[in-house]
Amino acid sequence: MQLADLTATELLAKYRDGSVSPVEVIEDVLTRVSSFEPQLCALYALDPDGARAAAHESERRWRDGTAGALDGVPVTVKENIATRGTPVPQGTAATALIPAAEDAPAAARLRAAGAVIFSKTTMPEYGMLSSGVSTFHRLTRNPWDLSKTAGGSSAGAAAAAAAGYGPIHVGTDIGGSIRLPAGWCGLVGLKPTHGRIAVGNPYAGRAIGPLTRTAPDAALALSVMSGYDPRDHTSLPVPSDDFEVQVAGLRVALLLDAGVGLPVDPEVTAAVSAAVDVLAAGGAIVEPIGPIITREMLDGLDRFWRIRSATDIAALPEERRAKVLPQIRSWVSTAADLTAADVFHGYSQMGAMAAAVGQVFTTYDVILSPVAPITAFPAELAYPTDDPAKPFEHIGFTVPYNMSHHPATTANVGWSTSGLPIGAQLAVPHHQDLQALALAGYLDDHRAETRPWPSIR
């Protein structure tokens, strides 16, 4: 196994015993990037010289005995998470490129722990797509099949993780933007409890979390990024949950029908059902449940986000407004038809979703479902429906937990007949983020089939 493919926990053990240096690791990662990146297009603002300098500093700290919790571990950060000195284009050519004045809370915590942030990663237009389609970045593709999307909006983070650009990649999620790409790229992707990781620029449903190849690496990244930050009034102190799993007696709600959106592919249903069998064999009590959200809830959310995006775009100068992706312009073009009552009702549906999820957790410990109803769709499409009027038909399983603030993570539970990863989602009560990751690790440990990570040629 090459150094670029080692997990963070493996790297830290090797740094500790002196068998491997952070300098060697970053060179291997940069070699991987130079080989894969022309086709994958996962990175933004790659900084090889800065990465090498940081790796040398980490090597010194390991010699001096002053290494941090992630010292020398290569990390990428999604481009909408500010890093000092780098513009934040938000995936669109319509944004003025102004260098960020300081690191966002998550990036600052990673640096303080010694992580080597060697690049930012790509995202689609304003983060409003579950694909890599962008007027600013090149089209990001899925390492498992370059004709398919890596998902979005944490497109580059997922592609980089699956391709082995080091072990830890950080994304954001407001409706599924960590979990969807993680599911389509065979990764563990955690949307944590709202506030566990300070966002810095909070907004309803927005969360920051890791995308990794293993659950222990996701737990390690979460532990470093967690905690209160005065720049984010929604951020919380670190809770005392543990990375542990007790499957016997676990009450699992099995949700195979989101109730809205695209029909679930039979291959997805089969893979998630196999994961259910693993938990049941371990002593979990599994019961099927009906849909949690309704058409009214999803359509209301659509209306609210549409007016919000339309307002942001309308504030741009005309020459920049014209640069916005046509599909986004088409989506917001109907915002003027919405009344104040429509928008208020749409806003209220976020609370309705939260209440619906909370009701399920009065009876169950875990909600297990597909991450998405389909496997990865063609990379060139902005939406799996290819219809700007129907942009949210694939997020019925993921978006409820953004609105309810519950943690939800992904686990790879199989592959389609065409070789694309299929993900299951594990949602748990508030502040049980590490237990969710432990369950993802349990499913990974008991998976019937494993496959090597993709190699791009």
Side-chain angles (χ1 to χ4, degrees), residues 47-389:
D47 183 13
D49 291 340
R52 291 185 175 105
H56 278 285
E57 284 297 305
S58 176
E59 185 179 59
R60 177 188 59 76
R61 288 192 293 272
W62 280 104
R63 280 199 309 266
D64 295 347
T66 58
L70 279 180
D71 228 297
V73 175
V75 172
T76 70
V77 176
K78 189 176 176 180
E79 63 109 306
N80 64 340
I81 301 171
T83 52
R84 185 181 59 255
T86 304
V88 183
Q90 300 182 80
T92 177
T95 300
L97 298 181
I98 301 171
E102 62 180 0
D103 285 342
R109 287 180 183 272
L110 289 166
R111 285 197 208 276
V116 177
I117 301 176
F118 67 94
S119 185
K120 307 297 286 292
T121 51
T122 61
M123 62 183 282
E125 203 84 358
Y126 288 116
M128 289 304 298
L129 309 175
S130 296
S131 69
V133 175
S134 163
T135 55
F136 183 85
H137 301 295
R138 294 177 299 163
L139 180 61
T140 303
R141 296 179 179 274
N142 191 321
W144 292 93
D145 181 341
L146 292 173
S147 74
K148 302 298 184 183
T149 186
S153 63
S154 302
Y165 291 8
I168 292 175
H169 307 269
V170 182
T172 64
D173 191 315
I174 199 170
S177 290
I178 288 172
R179 290 157 292 156
L180 290 165
W184 287 328
C185 289
L187 305 167
V188 174
L190 173 71
K191 182 210 76 68
T193 299
H194 188 90
R196 179 152 189 168
I197 297 174
V199 175
N201 54 340
Y203 189 79
R206 180 177 287 151
I208 289 175
L211 296 93
T212 63
R213 289 181 171 186
T214 69
D217 274 6
L220 177 60
L222 177 68
S223 70
V224 167
M225 292 187 287
S226 293
Y228 173 75
D229 189 287
R231 291 173 288 177
D232 183 349
H233 67 276
T234 68
S235 62
L236 302 169
V238 180
S240 59
D241 59 334
D242 296 311
F243 185 75
E244 60 182 22
V245 61
Q246 179 62 51
V247 174
L250 198 68
R251 298 168 301 169
V252 178
L254 174 61
L255 177 65
L256 292 177
D257 177 9
V260 292
L262 297 172
V264 180
D265 186 302
E267 289 190 310
V268 172
T269 298
V272 174
S273 297
V276 170
D277 292 342
V278 169
L279 295 179
I285 303 163
V286 181
E287 296 178 1
I289 63 169
I292 295 174
I293 66 171
T294 65
R295 184 84 252 173
E296 180 183 15
M297 293 177 189
L298 190 63
D299 287 349
L301 194 71
D302 181 341
R303 294 186 187 102
F304 176 75
W305 279 353
R306 203 175 340 149
I307 197 71
R308 171 216 166 193
S309 297
T311 302
D312 290 344
I313 292 169
L316 297 173
E318 185 176 353
E319 68 276 8
R320 284 167 55 194
R321 196 160 58 241
K323 295 179 180 180
V324 174
L325 189 75
Q327 292 93 326
I328 295 289
R329 296 205 307 269
S330 174
W331 175 55
V332 303
S333 66
T334 58
D337 300 331
L338 299 173
T339 67
D342 291 332
V343 178
F344 179 78
H345 178 72
Y347 178 81
S348 73
Q349 295 311 296
M350 293 191 285
M353 283 191 192
V357 174
Q359 184 60 39
V360 178
F361 281 125
T362 63
T363 304
Y364 297 99
D365 303 309
V366 182
I367 304 171
L368 177 67
S369 74
V371 179
I374 57 173
T375 55
F377 56 93
E380 292 77 11
L381 297 183
Y383 311 101
T385 58
D386 197 24
D387 183 356

